[in-house]
Amino acid sequence: MGREEDRTTVGVVGCGYWGPNHIRNMLSLEASGTVHMKAAVDPDPARRLRIRDLYPQIEVSDGVAAVFSDPDVDAVVLSTPTGTHFRLAGEALRAGKHVLVEKPLATSIAHCEELIRLAAEHELVLMVGHTFEYTAAVNTIQGLVAEGALGEVLYVRSLRVNLGLHRRDVNVLWDLAPHDISIIRFVLDAEPTHVTASGNANVTAGIEDIVSLNLHFGEKAMANVIVSWLDPRKVREMTFVGTRKMLVYDDVAAAEKIRIFDKGVDRPSEYDSFGEFPFAYRYGDILSPKLDDYEPLREQSSHFIDCIRLGKRPRSDGESGLAVVRALAAAQISLRNDGRKVALADPAVLDVEGSGAPPFAD
Ligand SMILES: NC(=O)c1ccc[n+]([C@@H]2O[C@H](COP(=O)([O-])OP(=O)(O)OC[C@H]3O[C@@H](n4cnc5c(N)ncnc54)[C@H](O)[C@@H]3O)[C@@H](O)[C@H]2O)c1
């Protein structure tokens, strides 16, 4: 155990579905002597009671002031509804706290930029909970793509669907697609240039619960992402089609989450182009790399603490939070305009105040 003053003291704000996972993982890091998981905040009495039951060693309060004005607290994790992220992250940064904000970072480009500016001004870490960037599977895929094992990636398809949880403060685009967009940016090491999106609001008027999103990366790769709260099965599956190989990542599979298919099609050469020689299809081996077994949220929490202690820039920093929000904002325009193609550089994207739902009272 390190000396008390050597530890990074953490407060978690928001103890609904996801917040308790942050608390549990921060507590698990205490054994390393680098973290003190001190306090939790939630205005909902039932949620406070649950945290007191689960973790009696933690101070639990009903308002952020208890944590933001506590000089012992170095860092806060915000696991509150999306519409509160900007205000709470801004307050925390102004109070001198390092901040890990759940995805999406905020609901407009201007808000993301303001948080990035505040973090820089106060020399504080600002990180976004793009959890999948901390999974063994996504890191393996990123490594394979970076070393060219798939060839040039032409196409990505992502399916992230299940029944519920129907949220009232965001549509399914802002709720689930941050994961797909962050994974695809990370793996391809590229920014989308254009998007199209279409969707339906079936259960709650005005809040899309099924969205199909296309991300175009210039003249090169494209990605199709389907996110839905209205589906009989929980599916988290991504396919990466490269010029040399193809890869399927099934995040809910118990084993062989990644399978690499030595499959493809070779075009006949120009000499053969009179149709005498058909396309040559390759059906080779299927390989499944072994993946390290760890909880991604623990890896993400540990990275946040490392960045604070070592003065490092997080992998999912404010800029990457902004890039994801830029793609969401462009997609939001397309979604509300019959799926028209929207460039991320279109000035109208700057005006989007997103989340796809009526203003949420927190
Ligand atoms: N990274 C992931 O894989 C992942 C998974 C689930 C949720 N999330 C994100 O986590 C965040 C929370 O999601 P959730 O599913 O836990 O939602 P939730 O509605 O279950 O919980 C949110 C909690 O925040 C509390 N809250 C609201 N306003 C507050 C305030 N001003 N101060 C303190 N607490 C406040 C609410 O009382 C509630 O208990 C969202 O941004 C969501 O996108 C991320």
Side-chain angles (χ1 to χ4, degrees), residues 141 144-145 148-158 184 187-188 217 219-224 237-249 258-266 281-282:
I141 299 168
L144 287 165
V145 169
L150 305 188
E152 188 189 340
V153 176
L154 304 171
Y155 172 64
V156 182
R157 182 166 56 83
S158 187
I184 294 166
V187 168
L188 300 188
F217 294 80
E219 297 300 308
K220 292 181 158 187
M222 73 162 284
N224 173 240
E237 191 185 271
M238 300 184 83
T239 303
F240 294 81
V241 174
T243 48
R244 289 188 55 215
K245 290 188 181 171
M246 303 181 182
L247 183 151
V248 175
Y249 159 36
I258 295 178
R259 282 175 302 152
I260 305 161
F261 295 77
D262 185 7
K263 280 189 174 184
V265 52
D266 297 320
Y281 293 96
R282 230 178 30 259

Side-chain angles (χ1 to χ4, degrees), residues 83-107:
T84 66
H85 290 179
F86 170 65
R87 179 174 60 77
L88 294 178
E91 274 181 41
L93 290 166
R94 279 187 216 95
K97 313 300 182 195
H98 302 282
V99 177
L100 167 56
V101 194
E102 261 309 333
K103 57 78 197 167
L105 172 57
T107 55

Side-chain angles (χ1 to χ4, degrees), residues 13 16-18 42-43 47 79-81 85 102-103 131 167 179:
V13 178
Y17 160 63
W18 197 239
D42 202 297
R47 271 146 182 195
S79 191
T80 53
H85 290 179
E102 261 309 333
K103 57 78 197 167
T131 318
R167 295 188 187 264
H179 291 311

